[in-house]
Amino acid sequence: MLANALQGVRVIDLSRILAGPWCTQNLADLGADVLKIERPVQGDDTRGWGPPFATAGSGEKVAAYFLSCNRGKQSVTADFADAADRDWLLRQVRDADVLVENYKVGTLAKYGLDYASLAAINPGLIYLSVTGFGQSGPFAHKPGYDYIFQGMGGLMSYTGIADGEPGAGPLRTGVAVVDLMTGMYATSAVLAALVQRARTGRGQHLDIALLDVAVAMNANQASNYLVSGESPARIGNTHPNLAPYEVFACADGHVILAIGNDTQFVAFCRLMGADWHLQPDFATNAGRLTHLKRLRPLLREKLAAWRVEALGRALDEHGISWGNVNDMEQVFAHPQVRHRQMLQTVDHPQLGTLRLVRNPMVPAGRDAPVTPPPVLGPAARPRTHQPVNQET
């Protein structure tokens, strides 16, 4: 079972916000023992990123944002500026397999918690640094959040309403996709480093940057530019390489129509009672892309007369890919989502019943129990003073 794949692997999680915690949550879901080290008093920044909040019997509030990316971890608070706390953390590192951090470049070196210092006491340590711009380069010292990199990395340049259309302008995605993709790349890098360490016995420093990920995740859009020399423009809900492939209004809602090849387009035309596939300008995907401004009004007129449910049945019968635009309530009520058990319920000792989303890497079932995210944990050691918050 993948839920036990990393059993026995110890992870020290010094990361906050989303990219780093998304990685360490993946590792926890795969069976690793993850110790999340948080700042005293306020903990991870996202504990306060609400509403909405889940509230413990003690009155402690935990933001839903934090709950989304810290499943399966144990929380302990420590102050890096405190020598005793720092010594305690170093003892944890001696037996750790992985350490994940997302502090600004150079911050942890001030406390002797940088890779060079920790590798000296644990040569097998896999040390993952997640930063905005990476460990080197002219921007390495700068901080940054996901939103910044959606813009800097190019994603927002072609995401949004096309110029000349109402509401024209760039848009970010509705979720922090650069953070999430960074967390996934980081997870893959850690798993690869664990495999490599099994062969060599040595750990290493992994340098994962949000800007690097933002550039990489442009995928076909980046390739389109590199081949053509032309930067892709904002095209709303259309696709840069396929047509028709966008959202259309029906009589009672919207559908996403996804025509992936010319054969599907022929089937679609027959369903619509149209002969567009016989017209040279529309017979091929390349032609439909070139002449999309003429094709789109024809599609809109036909589809506007259909009701969503009837259209969906007809598209299914003709083997044409389509989908609804669901809100969250509809998502978790969807029969396939329910069948796949993507919604999981877990009893939290302080927060009561929590509803969480299953990690799609880990099959649902009794062999993959869900461990809830922690409330802010106890201090690493008893204190008689007010802690000094470490630099972030």
Side-chain angles (χ1 to χ4, degrees):
M1 284 289 292
L2 281 179
N4 301 318
L6 297 184
Q7 189 170 22
V9 173
R10 296 195 64 224
V11 179
I12 306 296
D13 184 5
L14 304 185
S15 67
R16 304 136 300 151
I17 315 297
L18 185 55
W22 198 256
C23 169
T24 53
Q25 178 171 261
N26 281 330
L27 301 177
D29 287 340
L30 293 172
D33 176 15
V34 179
L35 182 63
K36 184 176 179 69
I37 310 299
E38 302 189 63
R39 291 176 295 179
V41 185
Q42 73 266 42
D44 188 314
D45 294 3
T46 61
R47 286 186 178 275
W49 283 17
F53 294 98
T55 304
S58 63
E60 179 180 348
K61 292 185 175 182
V62 182
Y65 197 116
F66 177 88
L67 298 177
S68 74
C69 53
N70 287 287
R71 180 176 56 242
K73 307 174 188 179
Q74 177 187 352
S75 171
V76 174
T77 61
D79 178 8
F80 299 164
D82 182 281
D85 275 13
R86 195 162 56 251
D87 289 344
W88 173 87
L89 180 55
L90 290 174
R91 290 195 298 273
Q92 310 310 308
V93 170
R94 291 180 188 278
D95 298 323
D97 298 290
V98 179
L99 184 144
V100 179
E101 61 91 10
N102 65 343
Y103 285 81
K104 289 188 294 185
V105 174
T107 295
L108 292 183
K110 300 174 184 178
Y111 306 103
L113 299 174
D114 56 302
Y115 173 68
S117 299
L118 298 187
I121 65 173
N122 183 352
L125 182 67
I126 296 165
Y127 188 110
L128 167 66
S129 294
V130 177
T131 56
F133 296 92
Q135 297 294 303
S136 62
F139 281 60
H141 65 286
K142 290 174 63 67
Y145 288 95
D146 170 276
Y147 205 154
I148 303 299
F149 299 106
Q150 288 195 37
M152 290 189 69
L155 179 64
M156 290 174 62
S157 72
Y158 53 81
T159 302
I161 308 302
D163 288 337
E165 297 287 336
L171 293 172
R172 69 174 181 87
T173 62
V175 71
V177 290
V178 179
D179 270 342
L180 296 175
M181 284 291 289
T182 299
M184 295 307 298
Y185 272 109
T187 300
S188 297
V190 168
L191 296 178
L194 285 169
V195 172
Q196 189 172 59
R197 190 186 66 174
R199 295 198 300 265
T200 66
R202 302 291 300 182
Q204 60 184 292
H205 188 190
L206 304 175
D207 175 10
I208 304 292
L210 270 73
L211 181 58
D212 294 354
V213 171
V215 173
M217 64 183 284
N218 285 305
N220 59 295
Q221 292 281 31
S223 188
N224 289 345
Y225 163 72
L226 294 172
V227 169
S228 70
E230 297 181 6
S231 291
R234 297 188 306 276
I235 52 176
N237 283 319
T238 61
H239 192 286
N241 300 107
L242 290 171
Y245 203 98
E246 59 184 286
V247 176
F248 289 96
C250 294
D252 61 343
H254 292 82
V255 296
I256 303 167
L257 182 64
I259 303 293
N261 55 52
D262 295 339
T263 300
Q264 291 178 10
F265 185 67
V266 171
F268 174 73
C269 291
R270 290 172 176 165
L271 171 61
M272 294 291 108
D275 64 354
W276 304 318
H277 60 295
L278 300 177
Q279 301 178 33
D281 286 350
F282 302 147
T284 65
N285 179 69
R288 292 191 295 275
L289 276 174
T290 301
H291 302 285
L292 187 57
K293 287 185 177 180
R294 288 199 292 114
L295 177 61
R296 185 181 290 120
L298 302 176
L299 300 173
R300 286 174 175 170
E301 181 180 4
K302 286 284 188 180
L303 292 170
W306 286 78
R307 298 184 69 82
V308 171
E309 186 176 349
L311 177 61
R313 287 196 303 268
L315 291 171
D316 285 339
E317 291 170 0
H318 285 74
I320 299 168
S321 180
W322 73 283
N324 301 102
V325 179
N326 290 333
D327 61 23
M328 285 296 102
E329 182 176 1
Q330 292 168 323
V331 167
F332 289 107
H334 192 283
Q336 186 67 15
V337 174
R338 292 170 66 90
H339 173 79
R340 300 291 294 177
Q341 299 181 54
M342 288 304 298
L343 174 61
Q344 297 186 319
T345 301
V346 60
D347 291 327
H348 192 288
Q350 289 89 25
L351 299 174
T353 300
L354 294 177
R355 297 192 297 170
L356 305 173
V357 179
R358 177 175 68 83
N359 189 322
M361 291 190 292
V362 180
R366 296 178 181 177
D367 295 331
V370 181
T371 303
V375 295
L376 187 61
R381 63 182 190 84
R383 290 191 179 84
T384 59
H385 68 285
Q386 181 67 23
V388 178
N389 291 329
Q390 58 263 28
E391 180 184 348
T392 60

